[in-house]
């Protein structure tokens, strides 16, 4: 029986374990924190659970008057209707942790039920491959004892950890990274968020909705610099309109506690103060102390593991998946990399990773979902595509629900009309992107999308409408 050792129990690791076990291999997962990894325990699941609470509050606050909903307390006269909606952050965070732990337990049960073994500890490679084609993995338990596992195949899926600035080290109380925010019992009165990427934008929007006064510090000229520029512009406008203080083109040099407050010093000398500070300045891969380069595994300058499109590293029999590879920091991509690695090593049919079919979502309000080629690709000439953008303001269902912000954008090839990309900015964009993902993955044309029935009224109707406009427009680009 083929022996496989997986180091790391996040999406890349546990999905690989399921595939390996189902294909008849002897699979051992080495994990130190709990299956699900950061995605389940400290990142995706917790943050999206927190955001779910914020979303309910935002939806209510932004639309109840327009929809005719009356909010009143039991103190007469009724005309004073002024009950304030608040949040018990301690209760919210206890729910966050409970759900994350439950999800981790469910994953562990699934993996062990499939026939894989789970060992608690930290794993590292034992050196180059032996002449018999195997290599050792050394597992160090919490008490320091070591166990040596021998395998024909090793998958490294150790993820990443929050990047730290030397002069802004988190203390877990006032200066926090995104793994520490769930220990707060009270809502930060004034929250400074350093970093306007996906993590920073999501937390900034969530805490703003929960009731914090938020200042978002971006080193770039706009929030979400890696996303579609039209989408980022919509979100920044929403942030500012809701009262968020967005400071652009400002790099944080340091953050320090001054009593019960935090002072963040910017590179231009300005000082921003608040009660709490969240550092969201990226992540670094968990590759240190794993004996990788000594075992033949090539690392990039960033510390990430180099892999090809079937998840192979430069060391025979060693694969890698997830954030540790620096490909896309998405749980879905990590899971796909892990599955591909197992299929490839065990000789099953495999399709190499195609990043142009990956759909992703930013869980802000409104959400931003994307798939395929981007506006940046079109502007840079990397692909010739026609573009149409349709504001949701024209959508009947959006009008009914009081949705003012957002749009649907599609990219298609000029000659064939094949859909090569799309952007959706709206509530539940993570759900609406799926038909566009199917179109991109299966080379569907705008004509095929336009001719498919949609429900009326529905937000998805805008996808068909954009496709119709692209189908009838013979030349030019409209955005």
């Amino acid at each position: 029986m083929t022996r496989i050792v997986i180091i790391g129990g996040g999406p890349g690791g546990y999905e690989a374990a399921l595939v390996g076990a189902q294909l008849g291999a002897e699979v051992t997962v080495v994990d130190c924190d709990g299956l699900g990894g950061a995605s389940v325990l400290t990142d995706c699941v917790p943050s999206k659970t927190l955001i779910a609470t914020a979303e309910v509050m935002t939806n209510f606050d932004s639309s109840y008057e327009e929809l005719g909903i009356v909010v009143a307390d039991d103190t007469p006269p009724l005309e004073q209707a002024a009950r304030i909606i608040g949040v018990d952050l301690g209760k919210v965070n206890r729910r966050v942790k409970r759900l994350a732990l439950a999800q981790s337990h469910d994953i562990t049960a699934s993996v062990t039920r499939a026939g894989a073994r789970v060992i608690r500890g930290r794993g590292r490679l034992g050196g180059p491959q032996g002449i018999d084609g195997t290599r050792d993995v050394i597992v160090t338990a919490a008490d320091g004892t070591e166990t040596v596992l021998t395998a024909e195949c090793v998958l490294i899926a150790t993820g990443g950890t929050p990047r730290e600035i030397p002069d802004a080290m988190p203390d877990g109380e006032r200066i926090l990274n995104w793994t520490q925010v769930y220990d707060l019992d009270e809502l930060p009165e004034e929250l400074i968020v350093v970093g306007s990427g996906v993590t920073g934008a999501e937390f900034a929007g969530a805490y703003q909705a929960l009731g914090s006064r938020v200042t978002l510090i971006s080193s770039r000229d706009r929030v979400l610099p890696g996303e579609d520029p039209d989408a980022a512009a919509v979100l920044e406008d929403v942030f500012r309109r809701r009262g968020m203080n967005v400071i652009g083109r400002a790099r944080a040099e340091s953050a320090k506690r001054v009593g019960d407050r935090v002072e963040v010093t910017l590179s231009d000398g300005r000082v921003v103060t608040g009660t709490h500070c969240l550092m969201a300045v990226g992540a670094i891969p968990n590759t240190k102390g794993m004996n990788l380069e000594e075992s033949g595994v090539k690392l990039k300058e960033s510390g990430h593991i180099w892999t090809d499109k079937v998840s192979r590293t430069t060391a025979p029999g060693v694969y890698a998946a997830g954030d540790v590879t620096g490909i896309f920091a998405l749980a879905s991509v990590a899971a796909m990399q892990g599955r591909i690695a197992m299929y490839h090593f065990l000789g099953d049919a495999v399709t190499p990773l195609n990043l142009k079919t990956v759909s992703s979502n930013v869980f802000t309000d409104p959400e931003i979902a994307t798939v395929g080629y981007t506006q940046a690709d079109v502007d840079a000439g990397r692909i010739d595509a026609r573009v149409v953008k349709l504001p949701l303001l024209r959508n009947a269902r959006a009008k009914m629900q009081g949705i003012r912000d957002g749009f649907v954008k599609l990219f298609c090839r000029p000659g064939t009309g094949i859909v090569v990309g799309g952007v959706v900015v709206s509530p539940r964009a993570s759900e609406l992107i799926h038909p566009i993902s199917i179109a991109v993955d299966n080379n569907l044309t705008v004509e095929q999308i336009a001719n498919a029935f949609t429900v009326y009224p529905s937000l998805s109707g805008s996808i068909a409408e954009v496709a119709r406009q692209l189908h009838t427009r013979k030349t030019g680009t409209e955005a």
Side-chain angles (χ1 to χ4, degrees):
M1 183 178 290
T2 303
R3 293 167 296 180
I4 296 173
V5 174
I6 298 170
I7 307 175
Y14 73 73
E15 287 287 348
L18 291 172
V19 170
Q22 289 163 2
L23 293 180
E26 179 185 296
V27 179
T28 300
V29 181
V30 179
D31 182 79
C32 59
D33 298 318
L35 293 197
S39 176
V40 169
L41 296 171
T42 60
D43 195 351
C44 290
V45 170
S47 65
K48 279 51 177 181
T49 305
L50 176 75
I51 288 168
T53 299
E55 185 181 64
V56 172
M57 296 183 67
T58 300
N59 290 343
F60 184 81
D61 184 61
S62 61
S63 62
Y64 77 92
E65 290 185 355
E66 180 177 343
L67 298 181
I69 298 171
V70 177
V71 181
D73 59 24
D74 57 1
T75 304
L78 186 62
E79 289 73 21
Q80 291 182 354
R83 184 172 63 190
I84 298 174
I85 305 299
V87 64
D88 182 340
L89 189 65
K91 187 175 183 179
V92 171
N93 282 338
R94 287 190 292 275
R95 177 175 183 263
V96 166
K97 292 179 180 180
R98 186 172 65 252
L99 291 178
L101 192 60
Q103 181 67 9
S104 179
H105 287 164
D106 288 345
I107 292 169
T108 302
S110 296
V111 169
T112 54
R113 191 163 52 242
R117 177 175 58 150
V118 179
I119 295 179
R120 182 61 64 92
R122 296 184 179 275
R124 68 181 189 275
L125 296 183
Q129 187 181 57
I131 58 175
D132 61 350
T134 66
R135 65 174 68 238
D136 291 338
V137 173
I138 302 170
V139 182
T140 304
D143 61 5
T145 59
E146 292 188 345
T147 303
V148 178
L149 306 175
T150 301
E152 285 80 24
C153 173
V154 177
L155 174 69
I156 301 169
T158 48
T161 53
R163 189 169 75 87
E164 296 177 340
I165 297 175
D167 291 328
M169 297 298 289
D171 60 13
E173 295 179 354
R174 295 286 174 173
I175 304 174
L176 310 158
N177 62 38
W178 69 75
T179 70
Q180 298 169 328
V181 294
Y182 311 109
D183 293 326
L184 294 175
D185 289 324
E186 295 183 356
L187 187 69
E189 184 178 344
E190 303 169 62
L191 178 65
I192 304 167
V193 178
V194 178
S196 64
V198 173
T199 300
E202 287 183 347
F203 276 112
Y207 279 103
Q208 177 83 11
L210 293 174
S212 297
R213 293 196 296 275
V214 176
T215 296
L216 179 61
I217 298 175
S218 173
S219 61
R220 308 288 284 275
D221 58 351
R222 61 180 173 86
V223 301
L224 295 175
E227 298 295 323
D228 181 89
D230 292 330
V234 169
L235 185 65
E236 184 166 338
D237 178 66
V238 170
F239 278 175
R240 293 182 186 276
R241 197 170 68 232
R242 291 176 180 167
M244 188 182 299
N245 179 23
V246 180
I247 303 176
R249 297 183 180 180
R251 187 175 297 277
E253 294 287 345
S254 66
K256 64 178 181 179
R257 290 185 60 166
V258 181
D260 289 335
R261 297 186 65 79
V262 177
E263 291 185 353
V264 176
T265 302
L266 308 182
S267 56
D268 60 8
R270 285 181 292 172
V271 177
V272 181
T273 65
T275 59
H276 297 77
C277 175
L278 171 62
M279 302 300 298
V281 289
I284 58 174
N286 292 327
T287 53
K288 288 186 178 180
M290 293 190 63
N291 204 33
L292 296 178
E293 292 182 299
E294 295 83 353
S295 301
V297 177
K298 179 182 177 181
L299 300 181
K300 304 174 186 178
E301 288 186 9
S302 60
H304 293 94
I305 298 174
W306 181 92
T307 58
D308 63 12
K309 292 186 178 181
V310 291
S311 305
R312 287 179 298 190
T313 72
T314 53
V318 179
Y319 293 73
D323 292 2
V324 76
T325 67
I327 302 296
F328 268 176
L330 297 171
S332 58
V333 172
M336 183 63 74
Q337 288 177 296
R339 290 191 291 264
I340 287 173
M342 294 298 100
Y343 291 137
H344 183 267
F345 182 77
L346 294 172
D348 207 1
V350 62
T351 301
L353 184 67
N354 180 7
L355 295 180
K356 287 306 176 185
T357 62
V358 173
S359 57
S360 62
N361 193 74
V362 184
F363 288 86
T364 47
D365 182 30
E367 294 182 3
I368 299 173
T370 57
V371 66
Y373 284 93
T374 66
Q375 187 71 56
D377 292 325
V378 176
D379 294 343
R382 288 186 286 271
I383 187 171
D384 184 16
R386 290 193 286 123
V387 185
V388 166
K389 183 181 73 176
L390 182 68
L392 284 182
L393 275 173
R394 304 181 191 177
N395 182 287
R397 185 66 181 274
K399 292 175 182 176
M400 296 172 190
Q401 293 183 283
I403 299 171
R404 298 184 178 88
D405 304 295
F407 61 82
V408 174
K409 180 194 288 189
L410 287 182
F411 305 85
C412 79
R413 298 289 284 164
T416 61
I418 290 175
V419 178
V420 294
V423 182
V424 179
V425 181
S426 79
R428 297 290 192 274
S430 51
E431 312 295 341
L432 291 173
I433 198 66
H434 189 234
I436 305 176
S437 296
I438 293 174
V440 171
D441 195 41
N442 292 277
N443 295 317
L444 302 183
T445 66
V446 290
E447 181 181 11
Q448 290 172 303
I449 295 178
N451 289 336
F453 277 97
T454 58
V455 172
Y456 183 85
S458 68
L459 296 182
S460 60
S462 288
I463 298 174
E465 178 60 28
V466 173
R468 282 190 285 272
Q469 291 190 22
L470 276 169
H471 177 53
T472 57
R473 188 164 287 121
K474 301 300 181 183
T475 60
T477 297
E478 182 174 317

